[in-house]
Amino acid sequence: RNIPENPDDLPWQSGFALKPKQGSKMKNLYLWHPSKPQGSETVTKLKRVIHNKEVHYFQDWIAPEMPEFLPKGYFLIRRIFWGWDPSLKQWVCLGGLWNARHNVRLHGATDAIFGEATL
């Protein structure tokens, strides 16, 4: 969704991500959650990037998993990949990977760990 004109109208009580028009590897992507997990930003910084028009969209907070199969303190997301099967004329699941770190900024980091996602 588009960022509201008044930053006070963002869901500060539940968390969100601020995103650029285009990007990768978490460049110009800012995270906020009231519990302030490692990797989230300050209110002051978020209001500055909104004012400077460095971001254009916001997404409600989607909590990363806290996996039991990794040591305590890891955050995890799953990346599932789909492909079009022309013989079946439908999308089919190709499998996926999980990505984990000790930080909610899960993408584009050299200390991230990966594994095969089970479906």
Side-chain angles (χ1 to χ4, degrees):
R1 295 182 278 179
N2 290 326
I3 295 175
E5 288 195 28
N6 181 351
D8 293 335
D9 292 336
L10 286 165
W12 296 98
Q13 71 285 354
S14 58
F16 53 87
L18 297 179
K19 299 180 172 192
K21 284 186 179 179
Q22 178 180 341
S24 67
K25 300 182 181 108
M26 296 203 63
K27 184 177 180 184
N28 295 329
L29 188 141
Y30 303 92
L31 303 173
W32 164 259
H33 193 271
S35 69
K36 298 179 176 70
Q38 184 175 345
S40 63
E41 307 292 348
T42 65
V43 172
T44 303
K45 182 172 185 176
L46 294 176
K47 287 185 176 184
R48 179 180 48 79
V49 299
I50 292 168
H51 176 74
N52 293 338
K53 303 207 183 297
E54 296 174 40
V55 290
H56 296 275
Y57 306 106
F58 85 96
Q59 173 186 305
D60 291 327
W61 181 261
I62 299 172
E65 293 180 51
M66 303 293 288
E68 292 183 11
F69 65 90
L70 291 173
K72 187 175 180 176
Y74 274 95
F75 297 99
L76 179 139
I77 60 168
R78 295 175 194 262
R79 299 281 212 152
I80 307 301
F81 302 99
W82 295 81
W84 180 257
D85 184 329
S87 65
L88 296 174
K89 297 183 180 174
Q90 67 182 27
W91 291 95
V92 294
C93 183
L94 302 175
L97 301 170
W98 54 260
N99 178 16
R101 287 186 75 207
H102 283 289
N103 191 306
V104 292
R105 297 184 65 81
L106 290 161
H107 302 284
T110 58
D111 66 339
I113 59 173
F114 296 85
E116 183 178 358
T118 57
L119 304 175

